[in-house]
Amino acid sequence: MPLELVIFVGLQAAGKSTYYRDHFAATHVHVSKDLMKHARSRDGRQEQEIARALAAGRSVVVDNTNPTPVVRAPLIALGRRHGARVVAYFFETTVKDAVARNRLREGNARVPDVAVYVTARKLVPPTFEEGFDEVRVIAPLPPIIAAT
Ligand SMILES: Nc1ncnc2c1ncn2[C@@H]1O[C@H](COP(=O)(O)OP(=O)(O)OP(=O)(O)O)[C@@H](O)[C@H]1O
Ligand SMILES: [Mg+2]
C-alpha cells in the first residue's frame, strides 16, 4: 500500500471517528487533537505525530473537523514533504443532523451545540485546488428519527 495521509473534514458528530474505526484502524495511525487535551500546542503536537508516523513509513488519518483550507494547508504540505499521497475525506451531513447526533452522545464526546454551528459557518469542502491527490465524499449518516 502506498504511504498515505488522509485528512478528514466534517462537522462534529458527522461520523468521522466511527469511520476511522471501521475502515482505517487496521492500516492507518490515528492522529486527532481530541486525543491530546493536555498538550501545550496541539497543532505542533499533531504535526509531530504525523511526521513521526510518515517518517516510519506508516500511513496516517488526521481525525479533526479540519474545516478550512487554512487549517488543511500545513497538513497537506507535511504529507507532501514525506512523499505521501494526500487524500481528503469529506463527511457530508446537515447541521441539523449533526446537532441531533451530538445531543445523543455521552460525556466528553458531546460538545456544546454552538460548537457545531461555529464549525458549520467556517466549513469549506475540500477541493483538488488545495493540493489533494484525491477528494472522497462520504454520504451522510441516516437521520435520527425523533420519537414524538
Ligand atoms: N454509520 C453510522 N450509523 C449510525 N450512527 C453512527 C454511524 N457512525 C457514527 N454514528 C453515531 O454518530 C455519532 C457521531 O459519530 P462520531 O463520534 O464518529 O463523530 P465525529 O465526526 O468523530 O465527531 P467529533 O468531530 O465530535 O469527534 C456517534 O454517536 C456515533 O455512534
Ligand atoms: Mg471524533
Side-chain angles (χ1 to χ4, degrees):
M1 257 208 307
L3 188 66
E4 200 171 63
L5 177 62
V6 175
I7 300 175
F8 281 0
V9 178
L11 294 180
Q12 293 87 347
K16 301 181 298 296
S17 299
T18 305
Y19 194 94
Y20 170 82
R21 278 197 298 279
D22 292 348
H23 296 90
F24 287 114
T27 52
H28 291 56
V29 175
H30 192 209
V31 175
S32 170
K33 289 197 282 184
D34 291 345
L35 304 174
M36 37 181 104
K37 287 273 176 339
H38 302 295
R40 214 162 2 101
S41 159
R42 294 197 304 158
D43 288 305
R45 166 80 179 278
Q46 171 163 276
E47 294 205 12
Q48 263 175 24
E49 288 189 8
I50 295 167
R52 190 180 309 131
L54 293 178
R58 302 192 63 194
S59 290
V60 173
V61 170
V62 188
D63 176 13
N64 301 304
T65 56
N66 298 318
T68 64
V70 165
V71 167
R72 298 186 292 258
L75 305 177
I76 296 167
L78 185 56
R80 288 262 164 273
R81 286 203 293 281
H82 288 270
R85 245 182 123 247
V86 185
V87 185
Y89 274 64
F90 177 50
F91 292 79
E92 282 193 321
T93 186
T94 63
V95 179
K96 185 166 165 272
D97 287 343
V99 168
R101 271 196 305 275
N102 175 56
R103 283 183 182 163
L104 293 178
R105 298 198 291 190
E106 305 282 332
N108 283 340
R110 180 159 55 208
V111 299
D113 288 358
V114 66
V116 182
Y117 294 117
V118 167
T119 305
R121 236 183 11 241
K122 292 192 285 200
L123 187 70
V124 178
T127 65
F128 283 110
E129 286 66 39
E130 292 173 59
F132 289 110
D133 293 303
E134 187 181 352
V135 176
R136 306 190 65 153
V137 179
I138 306 303
L141 300 176
I144 294 159
I145 313 296
T148 47

